[in-house]
Each structure stands twice: as C-alpha cells, then as structure tokens.
Amino acid sequence: NLTIPDQSQKAGVSQRIGLTDIEIHYSSPLVRARSIWGDVVPFGEVWRAGANEATVFEVNKDVVVEGQPLPKGKYGFFILVNGEAWTMIFNKTWKQWGAFKYNEKKDVLRVSVMDKEVESFSEKLTYSIGDDGTVSILWGNRHINFLVQEKQ
C-alpha cells in the first residue's frame, strides 16, 4: 500500500524556559495561492490554529500567558480571529479533529493580542518559541506573538 502524506504536514516546536517546557504540535497548512485571513480562516469563528487535528499546546509547569495564569497541562489551542485583535484560546479538549467539537465551556484561558502585517511572506504556517518565551505564529503576511512565562 502506498501511503500519501497529508498536504498539511505535522510539525512541532518545543522550548525550555527556565525549568518549564513548552511544546506545540500542529499540522502546517500551505497558503497555496488562497486568500487566508477572512476566507480559509473566517473572521469571528474559532480556528484550530493549524490544519487537521486541533493544535496542541503543552506545558509541564504552571505558566503565565500574557499576564494570565495557565495551569500545567495539555490543551487544545485555538484562535479566534477578529481583524487585528486575535484571541488565543487554551481549551481542556486537546484531542479532536479541527474545531468541529470545540466547546467554549471547556476553555481554561483566553487572552487577546494584536497581530501585525509583515513584509515577508510565509507560505507555510510556522510556530516558533523564543528564548524569552515569546510564541510566534507566522502565516501568509500575518505575524502574531504572545508571551509565555514561568509562574513565580
């Protein structure tokens, strides 16, 4: 049997910040000449923050995300895109396909950040984590950052 890979390849990134491990697992879709923001990712709807299965965000210690506490654990990571304001959502249900069974009542944390349009263009959705705990999401011409810090 010939197994054909998914168009949106599995990807992951991890970083240790002090004594805290941050891991993000996602499927990385390509732009493929599509209109992303407002079309592939509709405004005002919860997005799985990747392709295929929901994106998974995991921390081995309690952290602070954009100044708000997030207990250690594994979360479904979703994004609600509303123009320039983006809501990062950490949900108890991490094992699910897309956001089809997303339940707002299972949200553990929501934080809002602003996106920025960038000159460079990223064909594939890419996550990175800086040494300071800044999680960056880059896709198309949009760049989103949020800060994850150890809980003091």
Side-chain angles (χ1 to χ4, degrees):
N1 279 346
L2 177 64
T3 303
I4 298 173
D6 292 331
Q7 279 190 333
S8 300
Q9 296 292 303
K10 289 186 181 212
V13 63
S14 63
Q15 180 70 42
R16 175 164 280 180
I17 308 297
L19 299 174
T20 304
D21 294 325
I22 303 168
E23 293 186 35
I24 303 170
H25 298 277
Y26 63 104
S27 291
S28 181
L30 301 175
V31 172
R32 295 194 324 261
R34 300 177 292 174
S35 172
I36 300 300
W37 309 113
D39 288 328
V40 173
V41 178
F43 293 134
E45 291 183 22
V46 172
W47 170 50
R48 67 186 110 187
N52 306 329
E53 296 91 0
T55 295
V56 176
F57 182 95
E58 185 172 9
V59 286
N60 68 336
K61 304 226 182 268
D62 294 351
V63 294
V64 176
V65 178
E66 288 293 314
Q68 301 297 316
L70 180 68
K72 73 177 182 178
K74 190 182 258 192
Y75 300 97
F77 178 68
F78 301 92
I79 299 176
L80 178 61
V81 182
N82 282 316
E84 293 176 356
W86 296 46
T87 303
M88 310 290 112
I89 302 169
F90 300 84
N91 186 278
K92 288 179 186 174
T93 307
W94 60 270
K95 189 166 180 62
Q96 63 177 294
W97 183 265
F100 302 109
K101 294 187 178 183
Y102 166 79
N103 181 346
E104 184 175 347
K105 292 177 183 170
K106 298 200 180 219
D107 289 353
V108 175
L109 177 65
R110 283 179 166 226
V111 295
S112 290
V113 297
M114 301 300 283
D115 82 330
K116 61 183 175 186
E117 195 166 341
V118 292
E119 294 286 324
S120 60
F121 184 86
S122 179
E123 175 64 24
K124 76 180 210 178
L125 173 68
T126 305
Y127 283 77
S128 63
I129 306 170
D131 291 339
D132 66 347
T134 298
V135 176
S136 295
I137 305 165
L138 184 61
W139 196 26
N141 64 345
R142 293 288 179 203
H143 188 185
I144 306 95
N145 290 328
F146 63 93
L147 184 60
V148 180
Q149 298 172 299
E150 287 189 292
K151 188 170 183 181
Q152 301 299 321

